[in-house]
Amino acid sequence: MADPMTTALTPAGHVHSYWAATVGPGPDNVRPLPGDRTVEVAVIGGGYTGLSAAYRLAGTHGIETLVLEANRIGWGASGRNGGICSITFGKVPLARRIAEWGVEATRRALEIGVEAVALVRHLITTEGIACDATANGYVQVAHRPERVADLQARLALYRGPLRYDGVDFLDRERLEREGHLRGPSAHGGLWFRDVFGLHPLKYVNGLALAAMRQGALVHERSPVVAWGRDGAHHVLATPTGRVRARRVIVATNGYTPERLHPHFRGRLLAATSNIIVTRPLGPAEWQDVGSLRPQCYADTRDLLFYWRRLPDDRMLFGGRAGLVNTPSSLRRRRRWLEAQMAAKFPVLAGVGGEYFWYGNVCLSYDLMPHVGAADEDSTVVYALAYLGNGVSIATYSGGLAADLAAGKDVPRDTPLTAARLPRFPLPLLRRLYLAGAYLVYGVKDRWL
Ligand SMILES: Cc1cc2nc3c(=O)[nH]c(=O)nc-3n(C[C@H](O)[C@H](O)[C@H](O)COP(=O)(O)OP(=O)(O)OC[C@H]3O[C@@H](n4cnc5c(N)ncnc54)[C@H](O)[C@@H]3O)c2cc1C
């Protein structure tokens, strides 16, 4: 069945989101691939990963680079996300990281998260990307009183063995006094210093312009429909031309076609994240919610809800759910998100969403993102599987993929670069795993 949210696009070719409605003009003169070309590196995918890879390849390494994007720049998750630029990557819990990877690698992963956020800030500043970046600050709020102890245990790990001081615990009284949150869901939270919010579609457009200024060629509406070899060259066919390239970077994350390249078969699982954005809320409504300035939040659920007070005083509220995208299931998901928002913030009962949209995030079997090269062909490089985070880590990982494609080595100090992208056992059952995970996590989030 046709996907109603991807067939019903704006005139500019994006899903009908709050971001598409407020982005303003995008990069112009980005044309489909005009005939055949030979370049050093071809990049498949025009989101944060592909464009930051192109920026670094063309800029730092001076390598001829061409990006092929099937739709518009930022059409995928990079133009649809919540815009929370976070230090977190991967879904492996902190205590398990320490137990399985050791303190050094866990600490290094945290440093990489902080470096990734700093890289986004740096790009915004040096490339003059006007993307409504907010001040730093993010709170992860316990969704049940029992989860406060977990947050305090994590604080002890951050402050102790991980030596990270950019985090603090806010009890109910501080959450309210410092203008974060009040009401029934304000049990306590971890405040993080190194996280901020931005307009994701403005940011990805700015990245595209920056990559083009460095000399990268970018082509929209140029889907790779076939991938062959001609001696040392890869040959990527699109409807309007072919690209011959010595190396290819795969930057397609949750939109990777199963048949794109044999290496990725059975290794990725797309899941859906959904967002509503309300009308601008009045001062009394915000007073009741307790968020006195634009800031980013999430809760402690496994299937977490995330929310932001946007610069124009709307509430953005998002969460992961959904196995099919039929019109009726989309309507149910929209109503479900509205009800969840109202359950958290009773003053918003009946407010509903002026906008609703969804997009694909990408899961790996080991719950970690991966940057590396295909086992059987080191000229195929990839950066993907960001598991619902990506504003910062996709930008950062695109740079690592660029270094690999330029023939440089990258530090193998965390599973991001050191571990192989694993295959799912019985990959044909991946959708069933997802259904099972939604069930188990849903029960756990509700009762534990
Ligand atoms: C609703 C939602 C909310 C989110 N919220 C946050 C958040 O608040 N903070 C955060 O850090 N992360 C968030 N994420 C995750 C984040 O958006 C992604 O991890 C990140 O954008 C991934 O970037 P990417 O460039 O790797 O992939 P994408 O931006 O998805 O880009 C992949 C591109 O590949 C293209 N493509 C696919 N196949 C082909 C082909 N054959 N030929 C050419 N092009 C092709 C697609 O058209 C697509 O544009 C969210 C995601 C979603 C969906």
Side-chain angles (χ1 to χ4, degrees):
M1 157 168 271
D3 175 347
M5 299 294 287
T6 51
T7 48
L9 298 174
T10 65
H14 288 286
V15 291
H16 284 276
S17 71
Y18 169 77
W19 305 125
T22 54
V23 67
D28 46 20
N29 69 28
V30 184
R31 306 268 174 261
L33 181 70
D36 293 354
R37 271 209 79 122
T38 300
V39 291
E40 243 343 89
V41 181
V43 178
I44 308 176
Y48 303 142
T49 304
L51 295 165
S52 67
Y55 175 83
R56 191 162 167 84
L57 275 165
T60 309
H61 298 300
I63 289 177
E64 194 182 26
T65 305
L66 184 148
V67 179
L68 294 169
E69 163 53 48
N71 300 285
R72 305 298 313 273
I73 298 298
W75 174 90
S78 297
R80 311 180 186 202
N81 62 70
I84 302 175
C85 186
S86 164
I87 59 172
T88 306
F89 65 91
K91 288 283 181 219
V92 179
L94 205 54
R96 208 175 105 200
R97 288 178 191 219
I98 294 175
E100 292 178 5
W101 312 349
V103 170
E104 261 327 299
T106 307
R107 190 184 296 144
R108 179 64 197 131
L110 192 52
E111 280 169 10
I112 288 174
V114 175
E115 285 167 22
V117 171
L119 172 66
V120 175
R121 280 272 191 213
H122 174 76
L123 288 168
I124 289 172
T125 308
T126 53
E127 296 299 335
I129 302 176
C131 58
D132 309 331
T134 67
N136 278 20
Y138 159 85
V139 185
Q140 191 183 18
V141 185
H143 74 281
R144 297 167 62 79
E146 301 80 12
R147 290 296 178 99
V148 167
D150 297 348
L151 292 180
Q152 282 168 329
R154 275 176 50 209
L155 179 72
L157 294 176
Y158 280 124
R159 291 259 181 90
L162 300 178
R163 298 202 295 267
Y164 176 60
D165 66 357
V167 58
D168 200 0
F169 177 75
L170 309 179
D171 60 14
R172 178 185 288 277
E173 197 263 323
R174 277 187 74 188
L175 277 176
E176 179 166 351
R177 181 162 43 86
E178 296 178 17
H180 293 295
L181 203 63
R182 53 197 294 271
S185 50
H187 304 298
L190 279 190
W191 171 87
F192 289 86
R193 177 189 60 203
D194 298 301
V195 179
F196 68 99
L198 49 66
H199 188 304
L201 190 50
K202 288 184 182 177
Y203 172 57
V204 72
N205 279 342
L207 262 187
L209 286 169
M212 288 188 269
R213 280 195 298 272
Q214 297 291 339
L217 301 167
V218 179
H219 295 287
E220 297 181 321
R221 298 186 162 114
S222 302
V224 173
V225 291
W227 184 334
R229 283 306 282 246
D230 177 12
H233 284 97
H234 298 270
V235 183
L236 305 178
T238 77
T240 55
R242 291 183 314 166
V243 175
R244 288 161 54 85
R246 287 189 182 277
R247 274 150 290 160
V248 176
I249 294 181
V250 175
T252 45
N253 203 45
Y255 294 91
T256 309
E258 188 71 5
R259 295 176 173 278
L260 183 66
H261 183 279
H263 181 73
F264 302 98
R265 277 187 206 147
R267 296 182 197 254
L268 303 172
L269 171 55
T272 311
S273 194
N274 312 273
I275 291 180
I276 50 173
V277 170
T278 67
R279 61 166 167 73
L281 303 178
E285 288 167 315
W286 278 117
Q287 196 66 38
D288 207 279
V289 169
S291 306
L292 301 186
R293 68 189 83 84
Q295 193 141 59
C296 304
Y297 302 88
D299 65 23
T300 45
R301 287 176 165 83
D302 281 306
L303 297 174
L304 59 80
F305 292 112
Y306 48 93
W307 65 97
R308 285 178 62 184
R309 176 171 177 170
L310 295 173
D312 64 356
D313 290 335
R314 295 168 190 266
M315 166 79 83
L316 175 153
F317 191 85
R320 182 107 46 91
L323 293 166
V324 288
N325 297 320
T326 58
S328 59
S329 77
L330 288 172
R331 273 194 297 278
R332 269 198 306 279
R333 253 144 67 192
R334 181 185 194 140
R335 282 200 301 271
W336 167 79
L337 261 190
E338 290 170 343
Q340 294 296 332
M341 178 178 73
K344 236 182 221 315
F345 310 112
V347 69
L348 301 186
V351 167
E354 243 178 48
Y355 297 87
F356 165 76
W357 70 93
Y358 71 91
N360 286 359
V361 301
C362 183
L363 316 185
S364 59
Y365 184 63
D366 64 357
L367 301 181
M368 284 297 292
H370 290 274
V371 180
D375 297 339
E376 60 287 356
D377 184 352
S378 63
T379 63
V380 176
V381 172
Y382 58 83
L384 32 67
Y386 304 112
L387 294 128
N389 285 110
V391 176
S392 53
I393 198 65
T395 304
Y396 185 90
S397 299
L400 291 176
D403 290 348
L404 286 176
K408 316 274 177 222
D409 206 4
V410 297
R412 315 274 171 174
D413 45 6
T414 72
L416 176 69
T417 47
R420 292 175 64 232
L421 175 64
R423 205 179 285 280
F424 280 83
L426 304 175
L428 284 177
L429 301 183
R430 275 171 290 173
R431 304 298 294 170
L432 268 182
Y433 298 154
L434 191 60
Y438 281 159
L439 199 68
V440 172
Y441 288 147
V443 170
K444 199 170 149 219
D445 287 341
R446 188 142 188 207
W447 303 110
L448 301 178

